[in-house]
Amino acid sequence: MFIKTSMIVLLMAVALAAGQIVAQTHDLPTSKQLLEPVPGAPQKINSLPMSIAISPDKRYVVTVNAGFGTAESNYDQSLAVLDTRTGQISDFPDARTLIRMKQTLYSGLAFSHDGTHIYASIGSLTDPQGTGKDDTGSGIVVYGFAAGKVTPERIIRLPLEQLAPAHTTRLIGEKDGDKGVPFPAAIEVIGNSGAEKLLVAENYSDDVLLLDAASGALEHRFDLAESDAVPSTYPGALALSQDGHRAFVALWNASEIVELDLVKNEVSRKLGLLKPTNSVAPSTHPCSFALAPDGHCM
């Protein structure tokens, strides 16, 4: 009798505990469940956060949200800002990215050295030059930043790029052409405040660009194509050495990390990453990495 009573009490306790757990769960679209309280107190932001940038004073964390937007953002893409002192998140939708527009924010996101500006990549395959009404074309969006608030300022527009001899692309009109389509991905800021340069990985033209941040003038183009067909390597992620003399770029489709010499403005070496054994075998597709304090890739 005692054993039966104990079993009943135990089952009741389990059922009660299960009921408490159910009351603290949230069903996810992935068929999983999220239990609360969640460590770190996560908060909701806009859809598809792609990259994170931290302000030079370490107070603010910014994400670029490049999905289809949410009802709260009027279905615009946005930058979201977390104030690490207060824990408050503020969302700053960009009306130039309303759903069905021809341009999209992408993975590039970086602060200026003085923390007063944010650089973000915006790209368009259907109208890269921004010839249509409300079309921005491809470029770098420059936002002002002060006291945790983001304000649109200007766009550094990127022109079609002259490809190397014999290199062609079919991204424009599905015809062979010798002009690469700009579509900026990762961004790194180099140089001193007031004389900053932007290093920009170009996803669909197989290159990395060095731009003057103030004027937008192109200062150098690092050609990273490895075949006559462009795009083929798809440069994506960037990392900068502490002294600013070297940069590293991940070639997503070539399974390589490439080192750039920013003093001589040349490609210095390439590091293969478990390349596929044949043309249809899976690739490693490097899409993000970081530099260790000693300057080695991680």
Side-chain angles (χ1 to χ4, degrees), residues 49 51 60 96 120 131 135-136 144 157 160 259 266 269 271:
S51 298
Y60 298 102
R96 297 169 291 191
T131 58
D135 293 350
T136 67
R157 298 183 183 274
L160 298 178
E259 181 181 349
E266 63 183 25
R269 58 175 175 157
L271 173 65

Side-chain angles (χ1 to χ4, degrees), residues 27-82:
D27 294 329
L28 300 178
T30 58
S31 79
K32 303 300 187 292
Q33 290 184 321
L34 188 65
L35 298 180
E36 290 189 335
V38 178
Q43 301 180 57
K44 181 181 178 180
I45 60 175
N46 204 345
S47 64
L48 193 61
M50 295 191 71
S51 298
I52 290 177
I54 301 174
S55 61
D57 62 6
K58 311 301 182 186
R59 175 170 178 175
Y60 298 102
V61 178
V62 178
T63 66
V64 57
N65 309 301
F68 289 105
T70 61
E72 292 81 2
S73 71
N74 193 37
Y75 300 101
D76 292 332
Q77 297 172 340
S78 69
L79 300 188
V81 180
L82 167 66

Side-chain angles (χ1 to χ4, degrees), residues 79-287:
L79 300 188
V81 180
L82 167 66
D83 186 332
T84 61
R85 294 184 185 174
T86 65
Q88 179 180 354
I89 291 180
S90 302
D91 195 54
F92 297 90
D94 192 323
R96 297 169 291 191
T97 63
L98 183 64
I99 190 171
R100 295 190 181 87
M101 282 191 169
K102 292 185 178 180
Q103 58 270 349
T104 178
L105 292 175
Y106 199 44
S107 59
L109 188 68
F111 270 94
S112 63
H113 288 313
D114 62 7
T116 62
H117 291 92
I118 298 174
Y119 303 105
S121 58
I122 192 167
S124 174
L125 286 178
T126 51
D127 188 9
Q129 295 300 282
T131 58
K133 183 179 181 297
D134 299 325
D135 293 350
T136 67
S138 293
I140 306 299
V141 184
V142 183
Y143 297 95
F145 187 79
K149 298 186 181 300
V150 176
T151 54
E153 287 190 355
R154 60 191 172 98
I155 294 181
I156 300 173
R157 298 183 183 274
L158 298 176
L160 298 178
E161 300 170 28
Q162 182 63 54
L163 301 178
H167 288 191
T168 60
T169 183
R170 295 182 63 85
L171 290 181
I172 299 178
E174 297 185 355
K175 299 178 180 179
D176 287 342
D178 63 354
K179 297 294 193 302
V181 174
F183 200 98
I187 301 170
E188 286 285 348
V189 180
I190 63 178
N192 300 318
S193 295
E196 291 178 341
K197 313 293 182 185
L198 302 180
L199 201 63
V200 182
E202 285 277 80
N203 217 197
Y204 286 97
S205 52
D206 288 351
D207 59 20
V208 169
L209 304 182
L210 182 63
L211 308 172
D212 183 279
S215 67
L218 174 62
E219 297 194 354
H220 189 74
R221 177 177 182 262
F222 297 89
D223 188 351
L224 302 178
E226 296 185 359
S227 76
D228 291 342
V230 176
S232 63
T233 59
Y234 294 90
L238 284 171
L240 193 65
S241 64
Q242 291 186 350
D243 59 11
H245 293 168
R246 297 176 300 153
F248 299 85
V249 55
L251 301 187
W252 182 84
N253 201 48
S255 299
E256 292 174 351
I257 301 293
V258 176
E259 181 181 349
L260 307 179
D261 186 327
L262 301 181
V263 177
K264 298 179 180 179
N265 278 347
E266 63 183 25
V267 178
S268 58
R269 58 175 175 157
K270 297 182 178 181
L271 173 65
L273 302 174
L274 297 177
K275 286 179 170 290
T277 55
N278 58 64
S279 59
V280 296
S283 171
T284 47
H285 290 318
C287 58

Side-chain angles (χ1 to χ4, degrees), residues 12-29:
M12 291 177 62
V14 170
L16 179 60
Q20 291 174 343
I21 292 173
V22 170
Q24 299 178 59
T25 62
H26 295 275
D27 294 329
L28 300 178

